[in-house]
Amino acid sequence: MQNEFITNMNLKEMCKILGTNKEEITGTKRDKGICFNRHLICYFLFVNGVKKPLISKIVNREWHTVFHSIKVVETFLSINDKETIDKLDKLNKIL
Protein backbone atom coordinates (compact mmCIF):
# COMPACT_ATOMS: atom_id res chain seq x y z
CA MET A 1 0.00 0.00 0.00
CA GLN A 2 1.25 3.47 -0.90
CA ASN A 3 0.50 4.95 2.55
CA GLU A 4 2.73 2.38 4.23
CA PHE A 5 5.56 3.25 1.85
CA ILE A 6 5.19 6.98 2.53
CA THR A 7 5.02 6.46 6.30
CA ASN A 8 8.18 4.36 6.20
CA MET A 9 9.97 6.69 3.80
CA ASN A 10 13.00 8.27 5.30
CA LEU A 11 12.78 12.03 5.92
CA LYS A 12 16.45 12.14 5.04
CA GLU A 13 15.62 10.78 1.58
CA MET A 14 12.95 13.44 0.99
CA CYS A 15 15.35 16.16 2.15
CA LYS A 16 18.01 14.94 -0.26
CA ILE A 17 15.55 15.20 -3.16
CA LEU A 18 14.66 18.77 -2.12
CA GLY A 19 18.27 19.82 -1.58
CA THR A 20 18.11 20.25 2.17
CA ASN A 21 18.77 18.09 5.22
CA LYS A 22 16.81 16.60 8.12
CA GLU A 23 18.31 18.97 10.68
CA GLU A 24 17.06 22.01 8.76
CA ILE A 25 13.56 20.57 8.33
CA THR A 26 13.18 19.56 11.98
CA GLY A 27 15.14 22.51 13.35
CA THR A 28 14.11 26.02 14.27
CA LYS A 29 15.48 27.90 11.26
CA ARG A 30 12.89 29.93 9.40
CA ASP A 31 14.77 30.82 6.22
CA LYS A 32 12.48 31.08 3.21
CA GLY A 33 13.96 28.05 1.41
CA ILE A 34 13.92 25.84 4.47
CA CYS A 35 10.34 26.77 5.34
CA PHE A 36 9.22 26.17 1.77
CA ASN A 37 10.77 22.70 1.73
CA ARG A 38 9.19 21.98 5.13
CA HIS A 39 5.80 23.03 3.70
CA LEU A 40 6.32 20.73 0.72
CA ILE A 41 7.19 17.74 2.89
CA CYS A 42 4.10 18.30 5.07
CA TYR A 43 1.88 18.58 2.00
CA PHE A 44 3.45 15.57 0.29
CA LEU A 45 2.94 13.38 3.34
CA PHE A 46 -0.63 14.61 3.85
CA VAL A 47 -1.81 14.00 0.27
CA ASN A 48 -0.31 10.52 0.46
CA GLY A 49 -2.45 9.59 3.44
CA VAL A 50 -0.23 10.36 6.42
CA LYS A 51 -2.26 11.87 9.28
CA LYS A 52 -1.42 15.32 10.62
CA PRO A 53 -0.35 14.12 14.11
CA LEU A 54 2.26 11.82 12.56
CA ILE A 55 3.40 14.54 10.15
CA SER A 56 3.87 16.89 13.09
CA LYS A 57 6.14 14.31 14.76
CA ILE A 58 8.11 13.73 11.56
CA VAL A 59 8.85 17.44 10.98
CA ASN A 60 8.97 18.36 14.69
CA ARG A 61 6.17 20.94 14.46
CA GLU A 62 2.77 21.52 16.08
CA TRP A 63 -0.28 20.18 14.24
CA HIS A 64 -1.54 23.70 13.40
CA THR A 65 1.79 24.47 11.75
CA VAL A 66 1.38 21.34 9.63
CA PHE A 67 -2.14 22.49 8.71
CA HIS A 68 -0.75 25.90 7.70
CA SER A 69 1.96 24.25 5.59
CA ILE A 70 -0.63 22.26 3.69
CA LYS A 71 -2.65 25.43 3.01
CA VAL A 72 0.47 27.29 1.82
CA VAL A 73 1.28 24.60 -0.74
CA GLU A 74 -2.36 24.41 -1.86
CA THR A 75 -2.25 28.16 -2.48
CA PHE A 76 0.91 27.87 -4.59
CA LEU A 77 -0.62 24.99 -6.54
CA SER A 78 -3.79 27.00 -7.18
CA ILE A 79 -1.72 29.58 -9.07
CA ASN A 80 0.28 26.86 -10.87
CA ASP A 81 3.59 27.87 -9.28
CA LYS A 82 6.29 26.15 -11.32
CA GLU A 83 8.78 25.65 -8.45
CA THR A 84 6.13 24.03 -6.26
CA ILE A 85 4.97 21.73 -9.05
CA ASP A 86 8.54 20.77 -9.99
CA LYS A 87 9.54 19.91 -6.42
CA LEU A 88 6.39 17.87 -5.80
CA ASP A 89 7.00 16.02 -9.06
CA LYS A 90 10.49 15.12 -7.83
CA LEU A 91 9.02 13.73 -4.60
CA ASN A 92 6.32 11.82 -6.49
CA LYS A 93 8.91 10.11 -8.68
CA ILE A 94 10.17 8.14 -5.68
CA LEU A 95 6.77 6.47 -5.23
Side-chain angles (χ1 to χ4, degrees):
M1 175 180 273
Q2 185 175 2
N3 187 23
E4 290 175 21
F5 175 77
I6 295 299
T7 304
N8 293 326
M9 181 187 294
N10 194 333
L11 177 60
K12 191 174 179 180
E13 197 174 322
M14 288 187 280
C15 291
K16 184 178 177 183
I17 291 167
L18 295 174
T20 188
N21 61 57
K22 182 179 175 181
E23 291 73 29
E24 288 180 335
I25 297 300
T26 60
T28 59
K29 287 187 178 181
R30 295 178 59 187
D31 298 357
K32 183 179 177 183
I34 296 169
C35 286
F36 184 66
N37 286 332
R38 192 179 296 131
H39 293 327
L40 288 169
I41 289 171
C42 290
Y43 178 83
F44 177 75
L45 292 170
F46 179 72
V47 297
N48 284 289
V50 181
K51 302 292 182 196
K52 291 175 194 162
L54 180 55
I55 298 170
S56 69
K57 288 180 183 178
I58 292 169
V59 296
N60 193 31
R61 292 292 182 277
E62 298 289 330
W63 69 268
H64 50 82
T65 305
V66 171
F67 181 78
H68 173 72
S69 291
I70 294 164
K71 292 297 178 192
V72 167
V73 175
E74 287 175 344
T75 300
F76 277 104
L77 290 174
S78 74
I79 60 168
N80 293 319
D81 181 69
K82 184 170 174 34
E83 181 182 3
T84 303
I85 293 168
D86 290 346
K87 286 190 172 193
L88 286 173
D89 284 346
K90 286 180 183 178
L91 286 173
N92 281 316
K93 285 181 182 178
I94 61 175
L95 293 180

